[in-house]
Amino acid sequence: MTTTRRPLTRDDLTPLARAATGPHRTLAAVARLRGGSKKGVYRLTFDDDSTAVAYVWSADEDYWDAGPLDPRDPFSHGTGFGLFTAAHDRLAAAGVRTPRLLYADATHTHLPADTAVVEDLRGGSLEEALERDPALGRACLQRLAAQLTELHAHEAPAFGKVALVDSGGESSASSCEQRVTEGALRDIAEVAARDARITAVQEELADTVRELASAVRPRSRYSLIHGELGPDHVLLDTDGTPALIDIEGLMYFDAEWEHVFLRIRFRRHYDTLRAPGLDEDRLRLYRLAMHLSLVAGPLRLLDGDFPNPEPMRDIAEHNLRRALELTGGRGGTR
């Protein structure tokens, strides 16, 4: 695990900026944007006041200390140049907005890391719009709902990360529900070792997960989903068009997994994003599994040197309480 981290400076990023934009603009300022825990995200400001955003994938920028990646695991650590470029190309082909890729370099020519430069969307996030201007936020939310309908309409006969499936690979799991179930059981064991409240109901929670999984019927087609889509992962361009960011986890999976996360993150705004025809049995299993994941993941991150720990503690505590409420597994899909 990296314990000493130094944000990149203007001098560090100047060669990358020059390669991305040419010699006629000078990099004037650099700011590391908040929120990135798996890659470095830097706003580049040039001498003509134009801007771009640099992505940097390196161990120094990744706070998760996830170890070797398993590309056949749909929920493997969602970061890396290859995952990003595959997801960007897939979204572009699907007609779903994401910041336009301006430059990409996996040769470590300009930095000792994989890098990309994308357009900078300055309309703020959808989360900010919903708080600042509810009318604008609702309009953008409706446009996002249309984009998600388009996204989820793209299907594949296999599931897993886009980079894997689109290249003909196969997941190491036998089904989406099997992978979710196994992950939930591991999360229960991991959290039980940290929190006495889960320890007290560990077996009951595990039995609930297995019971919910047993009700899920097989499926052979899988939707294209973002996987971690909250209102902070949606930026707005100057026309108010939503653009998806943090796209490395893009995968073919059950749309129910997406909708469980959407409901948790969008809360009272979720009704605009609600979709017909979702499988209620999958929703029940995935809802409990998602809450468990959102306890185990933040607690794991807090073992390291993540610089803003309080929000992660809040996420873990909120989702732990929600998981406890679902002990017994009969809470429905509220």
Side-chain angles (χ1 to χ4, degrees):
M1 179 180 64
T2 302
T3 56
T4 302
R5 303 178 193 265
R6 178 183 67 85
L8 296 177
T9 66
R10 183 170 65 88
D11 289 342
D12 294 326
L13 287 162
T14 289
L16 175 65
R18 184 177 295 117
T21 63
H24 303 297
R25 285 190 283 176
T26 299
L27 185 61
V30 164
R32 193 183 194 281
L33 302 183
R34 293 185 60 187
S37 64
K38 296 178 181 178
K39 65 178 179 289
V41 181
Y42 293 86
R43 174 167 287 126
L44 312 177
T45 302
F46 296 90
D47 56 353
D48 61 357
D49 292 329
S50 64
T51 59
V53 170
Y55 295 154
V56 180
W57 292 273
S58 71
D60 284 344
E61 300 283 2
D62 189 341
Y63 288 90
W64 285 90
D65 191 29
L69 303 184
D70 177 6
R72 298 183 64 209
D73 180 2
F75 294 152
S76 63
H77 193 48
T79 189
F81 180 85
L83 294 180
F84 170 77
T85 54
H88 179 276
D89 292 348
R90 190 67 187 85
L91 288 173
V96 175
R97 183 83 160 91
T98 191
R100 182 166 50 92
L101 179 61
L102 304 176
Y103 181 80
D105 178 37
T107 66
H108 296 194
T109 300
H110 311 295
L111 281 170
D114 292 343
T115 56
V117 178
V118 303
E119 68 174 319
D120 186 14
L121 301 180
R122 302 305 297 269
S125 70
L126 178 55
E127 183 172 50
E128 292 166 343
L130 287 167
E131 295 175 357
R132 180 183 68 248
D133 186 341
L136 171 64
R138 285 193 297 272
C140 295
L141 197 62
Q142 290 170 350
R143 298 177 78 172
L144 176 63
Q147 282 196 352
L148 289 180
T149 298
E150 181 69 23
L151 181 74
H152 297 162
H154 290 266
E155 295 183 337
F159 64 93
K161 292 279 201 303
V162 161
L164 175 76
V165 174
D166 283 356
S167 62
E170 295 183 355
S171 172
S172 55
S174 63
S175 68
C176 296
E177 60 269 22
Q178 180 245 339
R179 175 60 183 86
V180 170
T181 299
E182 291 179 351
L185 294 174
R186 285 195 295 270
D187 288 339
I188 291 169
E190 183 177 344
V191 177
R194 299 168 179 263
D195 195 291
R197 291 170 292 177
I198 296 297
T199 307
V201 295
Q202 180 174 358
E203 290 305 315
E204 187 176 357
L205 269 173
D207 288 344
T208 296
V209 168
R210 295 187 186 99
E211 179 183 349
L212 293 174
S214 69
V216 176
R217 299 176 297 281
R219 177 178 283 171
S220 59
R221 300 287 296 180
Y222 308 96
S223 297
L224 187 61
I225 70 169
H226 180 282
E228 293 183 338
L229 192 58
D232 55 333
H233 287 168
V234 181
L235 299 183
L236 306 177
D237 66 15
T238 54
D239 296 326
T241 300
L244 310 188
I245 61 169
D246 287 346
I247 59 175
E248 291 93 318
L250 191 76
M251 61 181 167
Y252 299 97
F253 208 75
D254 288 333
E256 288 83 1
W257 184 255
E258 184 100 286
H259 277 275
V260 164
F261 193 84
L262 289 170
R263 177 151 196 159
I264 291 172
R265 289 294 287 111
F266 281 87
R267 299 186 181 182
R268 69 183 187 277
H269 302 294
Y270 171 69
D271 279 348
T272 303
L273 306 176
R274 190 184 300 273
L278 297 176
D279 183 330
E280 294 293 328
D281 291 327
R282 275 185 168 77
L283 289 170
R284 291 185 182 94
L285 170 64
Y286 291 178
R287 182 186 179 209
L288 178 55
M290 184 71 76
H291 285 304
L292 292 167
S293 176
L294 291 172
V295 179
L299 291 180
R300 199 178 304 126
L301 183 63
L302 291 174
D303 285 340
D305 60 337
F306 187 65
N308 193 22
E310 285 307 316
M312 286 296 165
R313 290 194 184 96
D314 292 342
I315 290 170
E317 179 63 22
H318 171 78
N319 284 282
L320 187 148
R321 292 179 180 178
R322 297 297 289 138
L324 288 174
E325 290 173 9
L326 295 175
T327 301
R330 295 176 179 83
T333 58
R334 289 183 292 114

